[in-house]
Amino acid sequence: MRLEGQGSVATSGSARIRLGPAEEIQISGEGDRIRLQGREEGRFDKLTFRSLNRSRFLTLNGRAYRGTIEVFARGGGVYVVNVVGLEAYLGGVVTAEMGSRPASEHAALEAQAIVSRTYALKNRGRFKTDGYDLRAGTADQAYLGVERESKAGNDAVRRTRGEVVTYQGELISAFFHSTCGYSTAAPSESFRSVRPVPYLRPVSDRKSSSGYYCDISPRFRWTVEWEGDMLRDILGRTVPRALGIDASELNQVLGVSVHGKGASGRVTELRLTVAGGDIPVFGPDIRLVLQRPDGAPLGSTAIEVSTDISNGQIDRLRITGAGWGHGVGMCQWGAVGRARAGQSAATIVTTYFPGTRIENWY
């Protein structure tokens, strides 16, 4: 990876290194040490890079970040951690999560800022033993540094500074997803280890007039198909990985059928019929097992299944789906639709997390 500064850069840690503006270094791992090549060379333990000009940023592989960047290695792999204040971090999250939105949809951005701030505080230290708090992707929250900041997103962070979502005085588990499709989900429909709480329950996204708030989403409804050979090939990879069943069991796929639905109507049990019998696939695994032809997980578990059978085996599997993501908590496209309808950020958040409050945490 490549690190450089828009201005002068200095380090602290196991070495003292200075880089001039636009000077770069290449970073790689060797065992439990990092190797630098370029303006400065050598092998070091953990290093912390900082810009000497507060108005200039560090860039990593061409992407700019606020704060400092810590670099260390373990087992030949390089860990890069952006150490940044919470409010500055949120600036790199809100637009990355919600996209560029017009000023008229400010309530949706504010809702995302409040929920993302709650998520970050609730999960601070989750990866402490690995040397960081949160991951910069869908495992936690999308975070793309300065590159994806926007005036509207930064304004939403500023207007909601310190605001979080609480239930009985405690920070909530602030889940969110792209598109609920018609209703949000109960945690038991999507996760194994999330305990049931009153504020995480199915919430209808239906408008009082007609339609749904999230029907503006490009992923509100979708269809995906697999030819028989492709389906067998995909299941031969995903079923062993997700369920621990030998791939030889998937040589013949005779049927795919729904055998259970949850409180929101999402599928909680799917069965794959093979020569040796039925293989049950439960809610948390369905999206991983039914991998799309492009290699991505299935969009959601709010699905209907149909099959074409030839010579006793599936010749084609067709799934029609509603929404995108796990479905728990705040629906992001629903938040946009509600903002367009004139709802405030507080109304949006407390609708998707019933029984909660917006509080100033600091």
Side-chain angles (χ1 to χ4, degrees):
M1 64 186 63
R2 184 181 79 256
L3 185 144
E4 63 183 308
Q6 296 175 345
S8 297
V9 175
T11 67
S12 58
S14 57
R16 295 291 188 270
I17 298 169
R18 292 180 72 92
L19 300 176
E23 289 185 328
E24 69 175 49
I25 52 175
Q26 298 289 330
I27 304 172
S28 58
E30 288 189 0
D32 290 333
R33 307 198 82 194
I34 55 175
R35 182 183 181 190
L36 304 186
Q37 293 176 287
R39 169 67 176 79
E40 297 281 348
E41 298 200 2
R43 293 167 179 80
F44 306 95
D45 296 327
K46 180 176 179 179
L47 291 175
T48 299
F49 295 85
R50 70 182 188 281
S51 173
L52 296 179
N53 187 328
R54 294 185 62 184
S55 64
R56 302 284 183 172
F57 307 113
L58 297 169
T59 66
L60 186 69
N61 293 337
R63 179 173 291 160
Y65 294 92
R66 298 181 185 275
T68 63
I69 290 180
E70 294 181 352
V71 183
F72 56 93
R74 287 180 187 161
V78 178
Y79 286 71
V80 180
V81 181
N82 182 200
V83 181
V84 64
L86 176 57
E87 298 298 313
Y89 161 75
L90 292 172
V93 169
V94 170
T95 303
E97 283 286 352
M98 296 294 284
S100 297
R101 311 241 59 90
S104 59
E105 297 171 6
H106 65 88
L109 295 176
E110 291 169 14
Q112 184 67 55
I114 293 167
V115 171
S116 287
R117 183 180 293 108
T118 307
Y119 183 94
L121 287 168
K122 179 77 171 179
N123 290 280
R124 184 167 52 184
R126 189 153 75 99
F127 300 105
K128 183 178 180 180
T129 56
D130 293 320
Y132 57 93
D133 290 312
L134 300 170
R135 294 173 177 168
T138 54
D140 283 307
Q141 306 189 97
Y143 172 66
L144 297 173
V146 177
E147 174 184 309
R148 290 304 301 274
E149 291 182 11
S150 67
K151 182 180 184 305
N154 286 344
D155 285 347
V157 173
R158 176 180 52 78
R159 284 192 297 266
T160 63
R161 180 178 176 83
E163 292 184 4
V164 296
V165 197
T166 65
Y167 180 76
Q168 295 183 347
E170 300 291 333
L171 293 169
I172 70 164
S173 296
F175 291 102
F176 55 89
H177 58 281
S178 168
T179 310
C180 70
Y182 60 91
S183 170
T184 63
S188 59
E189 297 177 272
S190 302
F191 305 126
R192 283 194 181 85
S193 57
V194 178
R195 64 184 179 87
V197 287
Y199 58 81
L200 292 179
R201 63 177 187 262
V203 172
S204 173
D205 216 40
R206 184 178 290 278
K207 298 177 182 177
S208 57
S209 51
S210 62
Y212 297 90
Y213 286 105
C214 66
D215 59 18
I216 54 177
S217 168
R219 292 167 168 174
F220 180 67
R221 296 288 183 267
W222 46 270
T223 301
V224 62
E225 295 185 352
W226 299 259
E227 300 291 339
D229 288 343
M230 176 185 293
L231 178 65
R232 284 186 287 275
D233 180 61
I234 289 174
L235 293 179
R237 296 193 307 270
T238 62
V239 169
R241 188 163 59 236
L243 307 180
I245 294 173
D246 193 273
S248 63
E249 298 288 330
L250 283 300
N251 289 336
Q252 292 181 306
V253 182
L254 311 179
V256 177
S257 55
V258 173
H259 278 258
K261 292 189 175 184
S264 76
R266 286 168 170 78
V267 174
T268 54
E269 183 183 354
L270 200 72
R271 291 188 188 175
L272 309 177
T273 301
V274 297
D278 286 349
I279 299 174
V281 184
F282 296 103
D285 296 317
I286 291 172
R287 295 177 63 207
L288 299 177
V289 166
L290 286 180
Q291 189 180 83
R292 296 181 334 204
D294 63 4
L298 193 66
S300 80
T301 55
I303 57 175
E304 298 293 335
V305 177
S306 63
T307 56
D308 296 337
I309 305 296
S310 177
N311 297 320
Q313 296 189 55
I314 290 183
D315 187 54
R316 182 186 300 271
L317 170 65
R318 182 181 300 104
I319 289 182
T320 55
W324 204 259
H326 54 67
V328 179
M330 187 178 79
C331 171
Q332 292 172 311
W333 274 104
V336 173
R338 290 172 184 275
R340 291 181 182 180
Q343 294 184 19
S344 68
T347 297
I348 293 170
V349 171
T350 56
T351 296
Y352 287 119
F353 301 101
T356 62
R357 298 179 56 194
I358 306 297
E359 293 189 43
N360 286 303
W361 206 246
Y362 51 84

PDB file of all heavy atoms in Angstrom, residues 4-9 20-23 51 53 55-59 62-65 146:
ATOM      1  N   GLU A   4       1.074   8.749   1.548  1.00  0.00           N
ATOM      2  CA  GLU A   4       1.741  10.029   1.315  1.00  0.00           C
ATOM      3  C   GLU A   4       0.952  11.132   2.020  1.00  0.00           C
ATOM      4  O   GLU A   4      -0.148  10.906   2.529  1.00  0.00           O
ATOM      5  CB  GLU A   4       1.855  10.327  -0.178  1.00  0.00           C
ATOM      6  CG  GLU A   4       0.533  10.477  -0.897  1.00  0.00           C
ATOM      7  CD  GLU A   4       0.722  10.711  -2.391  1.00  0.00           C
ATOM      8  OE1 GLU A   4       1.482  11.629  -2.734  1.00  0.00           O
ATOM      9  OE2 GLU A   4       0.103   9.986  -3.182  1.00  0.00           O
ATOM     10  N   GLY A   5       1.515  12.301   2.043  1.00  0.00           N
ATOM     11  CA  GLY A   5       0.848  13.429   2.675  1.00  0.00           C
ATOM     12  C   GLY A   5       0.588  14.534   1.673  1.00  0.00           C
ATOM     13  O   GLY A   5       1.367  14.739   0.734  1.00  0.00           O
ATOM     14  N   GLN A   6      -0.538  15.240   1.859  1.00  0.00           N
ATOM     15  CA  GLN A   6      -0.773  16.426   1.039  1.00  0.00           C
ATOM     16  C   GLN A   6       0.177  17.548   1.462  1.00  0.00           C
ATOM     17  O   GLN A   6       0.468  18.453   0.698  1.00  0.00           O
ATOM     18  CB  GLN A   6      -2.228  16.864   1.181  1.00  0.00           C
ATOM     19  CG  GLN A   6      -3.215  15.841   0.653  1.00  0.00           C
ATOM     20  CD  GLN A   6      -4.658  16.239   0.899  1.00  0.00           C
ATOM     21  OE1 GLN A   6      -4.930  17.142   1.697  1.00  0.00           O
ATOM     22  NE2 GLN A   6      -5.586  15.582   0.224  1.00  0.00           N
ATOM     23  N   GLY A   7       0.619  17.471   2.718  1.00  0.00           N
ATOM     24  CA  GLY A   7       1.645  18.365   3.242  1.00  0.00           C
ATOM     25  C   GLY A   7       2.734  17.521   3.876  1.00  0.00           C
ATOM     26  O   GLY A   7       2.843  16.317   3.614  1.00  0.00           O
ATOM     27  N   SER A   8       3.549  18.115   4.736  1.00  0.00           N
ATOM     28  CA  SER A   8       4.622  17.371   5.394  1.00  0.00           C
ATOM     29  C   SER A   8       4.049  16.375   6.389  1.00  0.00           C
ATOM     30  O   SER A   8       3.009  16.614   7.020  1.00  0.00           O
ATOM     31  CB  SER A   8       5.575  18.345   6.098  1.00  0.00           C
ATOM     32  OG  SER A   8       6.197  19.197   5.158  1.00  0.00           O
ATOM     33  N   VAL A   9       4.741  15.248   6.539  1.00  0.00           N
ATOM     34  CA  VAL A   9       4.280  14.147   7.399  1.00  0.00           C
ATOM     35  C   VAL A   9       5.402  13.764   8.350  1.00  0.00           C
ATOM     36  O   VAL A   9       6.578  13.734   7.970  1.00  0.00           O
ATOM     37  CB  VAL A   9       3.878  12.918   6.539  1.00  0.00           C
ATOM     38  CG1 VAL A   9       3.525  11.732   7.433  1.00  0.00           C
ATOM     39  CG2 VAL A   9       2.728  13.263   5.618  1.00  0.00           C
ATOM     40  N   GLY A  20       8.301  14.994   2.994  1.00  0.00           N
ATOM     41  CA  GLY A  20       7.881  16.270   2.458  1.00  0.00           C
ATOM     42  C   GLY A  20       6.570  16.124   1.708  1.00  0.00           C
ATOM     43  O   GLY A  20       6.071  15.012   1.482  1.00  0.00           O
ATOM     44  N   PRO A  21       5.947  17.243   1.317  1.00  0.00           N
ATOM     45  CA  PRO A  21       4.683  17.191   0.563  1.00  0.00           C
ATOM     46  C   PRO A  21       4.817  16.326  -0.680  1.00  0.00           C
ATOM     47  O   PRO A  21       5.798  16.426  -1.422  1.00  0.00           O
ATOM     48  CB  PRO A  21       4.439  18.660   0.200  1.00  0.00           C
ATOM     49  CG  PRO A  21       5.171  19.435   1.242  1.00  0.00           C
ATOM     50  CD  PRO A  21       6.395  18.628   1.563  1.00  0.00           C
ATOM     51  N   ALA A  22       3.838  15.456  -0.867  1.00  0.00           N
ATOM     52  CA  ALA A  22       3.742  14.573  -2.039  1.00  0.00           C
ATOM     53  C   ALA A  22       4.801  13.476  -2.064  1.00  0.00           C
ATOM     54  O   ALA A  22       4.838  12.680  -3.003  1.00  0.00           O
ATOM     55  CB  ALA A  22       3.786  15.370  -3.337  1.00  0.00           C
ATOM     56  N   GLU A  23       5.666  13.389  -1.052  1.00  0.00           N
ATOM     57  CA  GLU A  23       6.586  12.254  -0.973  1.00  0.00           C
ATOM     58  C   GLU A  23       5.818  11.050  -0.444  1.00  0.00           C
ATOM     59  O   GLU A  23       4.984  11.183   0.450  1.00  0.00           O
ATOM     60  CB  GLU A  23       7.766  12.570  -0.063  1.00  0.00           C
ATOM     61  CG  GLU A  23       8.727  13.582  -0.653  1.00  0.00           C
ATOM     62  CD  GLU A  23       9.942  13.787   0.233  1.00  0.00           C
ATOM     63  OE1 GLU A  23       9.811  13.671   1.460  1.00  0.00           O
ATOM     64  OE2 GLU A  23      11.022  14.059  -0.319  1.00  0.00           O
ATOM     65  N   SER A  51      -0.135  14.321   9.784  1.00  0.00           N
ATOM     66  CA  SER A  51       0.172  15.475   8.944  1.00  0.00           C
ATOM     67  C   SER A  51       0.608  16.628   9.842  1.00  0.00           C
ATOM     68  O   SER A  51       0.046  16.840  10.918  1.00  0.00           O
ATOM     69  CB  SER A  51      -1.070  15.877   8.144  1.00  0.00           C
ATOM     70  OG  SER A  51      -0.835  17.078   7.441  1.00  0.00           O
ATOM     71  N   ASN A  53       0.353  19.694   8.946  1.00  0.00           N
ATOM     72  CA  ASN A  53      -0.509  20.821   8.596  1.00  0.00           C
ATOM     73  C   ASN A  53      -1.956  20.396   8.795  1.00  0.00           C
ATOM     74  O   ASN A  53      -2.431  19.482   8.124  1.00  0.00           O
ATOM     75  CB  ASN A  53      -0.257  21.236   7.138  1.00  0.00           C
ATOM     76  CG  ASN A  53      -1.003  22.508   6.760  1.00  0.00           C
ATOM     77  OD1 ASN A  53      -2.092  22.767   7.274  1.00  0.00           O
ATOM     78  ND2 ASN A  53      -0.426  23.288   5.857  1.00  0.00           N
ATOM     79  N   SER A  55      -4.696  21.511   7.919  1.00  0.00           N
ATOM     80  CA  SER A  55      -5.597  21.645   6.773  1.00  0.00           C
ATOM     81  C   SER A  55      -5.248  20.679   5.645  1.00  0.00           C
ATOM     82  O   SER A  55      -5.895  20.676   4.597  1.00  0.00           O
ATOM     83  CB  SER A  55      -5.563  23.082   6.244  1.00  0.00           C
ATOM     84  OG  SER A  55      -4.276  23.401   5.740  1.00  0.00           O
ATOM     85  N   ARG A  56      -4.202  19.863   5.852  1.00  0.00           N
ATOM     86  CA  ARG A  56      -3.800  18.876   4.858  1.00  0.00           C
ATOM     87  C   ARG A  56      -4.019  17.484   5.440  1.00  0.00           C
ATOM     88  O   ARG A  56      -3.955  17.276   6.650  1.00  0.00           O
ATOM     89  CB  ARG A  56      -2.326  19.048   4.493  1.00  0.00           C
ATOM     90  CG  ARG A  56      -1.974  20.423   3.956  1.00  0.00           C
ATOM     91  CD  ARG A  56      -2.436  20.592   2.529  1.00  0.00           C
ATOM     92  NE  ARG A  56      -2.042  21.870   1.968  1.00  0.00           N
ATOM     93  CZ  ARG A  56      -2.201  22.191   0.685  1.00  0.00           C
ATOM     94  NH1 ARG A  56      -2.736  21.307  -0.143  1.00  0.00           N
ATOM     95  NH2 ARG A  56      -1.844  23.376   0.247  1.00  0.00           N
ATOM     96  N   PHE A  57      -4.245  16.520   4.557  1.00  0.00           N
ATOM     97  CA  PHE A  57      -4.592  15.181   5.019  1.00  0.00           C
ATOM     98  C   PHE A  57      -3.553  14.152   4.595  1.00  0.00           C
ATOM     99  O   PHE A  57      -2.801  14.355   3.633  1.00  0.00           O
ATOM    100  CB  PHE A  57      -5.963  14.781   4.460  1.00  0.00           C
ATOM    101  CG  PHE A  57      -7.045  15.773   4.733  1.00  0.00           C
ATOM    102  CD1 PHE A  57      -7.629  16.492   3.706  1.00  0.00           C
ATOM    103  CD2 PHE A  57      -7.462  16.014   6.035  1.00  0.00           C
ATOM    104  CE1 PHE A  57      -8.636  17.411   3.953  1.00  0.00           C
ATOM    105  CE2 PHE A  57      -8.463  16.933   6.301  1.00  0.00           C
ATOM    106  CZ  PHE A  57      -9.044  17.642   5.253  1.00  0.00           C
ATOM    107  N   LEU A  58      -3.550  13.050   5.305  1.00  0.00           N
ATOM    108  CA  LEU A  58      -2.789  11.886   4.881  1.00  0.00           C
ATOM    109  C   LEU A  58      -3.592  11.146   3.821  1.00  0.00           C
ATOM    110  O   LEU A  58      -4.825  11.101   3.882  1.00  0.00           O
ATOM    111  CB  LEU A  58      -2.537  10.956   6.066  1.00  0.00           C
ATOM    112  CG  LEU A  58      -1.693  11.512   7.211  1.00  0.00           C
ATOM    113  CD1 LEU A  58      -1.762  10.569   8.408  1.00  0.00           C
ATOM    114  CD2 LEU A  58      -0.253  11.696   6.768  1.00  0.00           C
ATOM    115  N   THR A  59      -2.917  10.567   2.863  1.00  0.00           N
ATOM    116  CA  THR A  59      -3.625   9.774   1.862  1.00  0.00           C
ATOM    117  C   THR A  59      -3.062   8.362   1.855  1.00  0.00           C
ATOM    118  O   THR A  59      -1.850   8.149   1.950  1.00  0.00           O
ATOM    119  CB  THR A  59      -3.512  10.382   0.451  1.00  0.00           C
ATOM    120  OG1 THR A  59      -2.162  10.335   0.013  1.00  0.00           O
ATOM    121  CG2 THR A  59      -4.015  11.808   0.434  1.00  0.00           C
ATOM    122  N   GLY A  62      -4.207   6.772  -2.295  1.00  0.00           N
ATOM    123  CA  GLY A  62      -4.881   7.854  -2.991  1.00  0.00           C
ATOM    124  C   GLY A  62      -6.115   8.397  -2.305  1.00  0.00           C
ATOM    125  O   GLY A  62      -6.706   9.370  -2.782  1.00  0.00           O
ATOM    126  N   ARG A  63      -6.533   7.815  -1.179  1.00  0.00           N
ATOM    127  CA  ARG A  63      -7.735   8.270  -0.474  1.00  0.00           C
ATOM    128  C   ARG A  63      -7.323   9.047   0.778  1.00  0.00           C
ATOM    129  O   ARG A  63      -6.504   8.571   1.565  1.00  0.00           O
ATOM    130  CB  ARG A  63      -8.618   7.082  -0.104  1.00  0.00           C
ATOM    131  CG  ARG A  63      -9.879   7.452   0.652  1.00  0.00           C
ATOM    132  CD  ARG A  63     -10.780   6.243   0.828  1.00  0.00           C
ATOM    133  NE  ARG A  63     -11.337   5.836  -0.451  1.00  0.00           N
ATOM    134  CZ  ARG A  63     -11.842   4.634  -0.704  1.00  0.00           C
ATOM    135  NH1 ARG A  63     -11.812   3.699   0.248  1.00  0.00           N
ATOM    136  NH2 ARG A  63     -12.347   4.341  -1.887  1.00  0.00           N
ATOM    137  N   ALA A  64      -7.908  10.231   0.969  1.00  0.00           N
ATOM    138  CA  ALA A  64      -7.507  11.117   2.055  1.00  0.00           C
ATOM    139  C   ALA A  64      -8.272  10.810   3.338  1.00  0.00           C
ATOM    140  O   ALA A  64      -9.461  10.478   3.308  1.00  0.00           O
ATOM    141  CB  ALA A  64      -7.751  12.569   1.652  1.00  0.00           C
ATOM    142  N   TYR A  65      -7.573  10.946   4.478  1.00  0.00           N
ATOM    143  CA  TYR A  65      -8.157  10.693   5.790  1.00  0.00           C
ATOM    144  C   TYR A  65      -7.765  11.791   6.769  1.00  0.00           C
ATOM    145  O   TYR A  65      -6.640  12.294   6.737  1.00  0.00           O
ATOM    146  CB  TYR A  65      -7.678   9.343   6.347  1.00  0.00           C
ATOM    147  CG  TYR A  65      -8.155   8.160   5.556  1.00  0.00           C
ATOM    148  CD1 TYR A  65      -7.384   7.636   4.518  1.00  0.00           C
ATOM    149  CD2 TYR A  65      -9.382   7.570   5.831  1.00  0.00           C
ATOM    150  CE1 TYR A  65      -7.825   6.549   3.781  1.00  0.00           C
ATOM    151  CE2 TYR A  65      -9.833   6.477   5.098  1.00  0.00           C
ATOM    152  CZ  TYR A  65      -9.056   5.980   4.074  1.00  0.00           C
ATOM    153  OH  TYR A  65      -9.495   4.906   3.343  1.00  0.00           O
ATOM    154  N   VAL A 146     -12.214  11.399   3.904  1.00  0.00           N
ATOM    155  CA  VAL A 146     -12.572  12.724   3.382  1.00  0.00           C
ATOM    156  C   VAL A 146     -13.228  12.617   2.012  1.00  0.00           C
ATOM    157  O   VAL A 146     -14.102  13.417   1.660  1.00  0.00           O
ATOM    158  CB  VAL A 146     -11.304  13.607   3.297  1.00  0.00           C
ATOM    159  CG1 VAL A 146     -11.627  14.972   2.695  1.00  0.00           C
ATOM    160  CG2 VAL A 146     -10.682  13.781   4.683  1.00  0.00           C
TER     161      VAL A 146
END
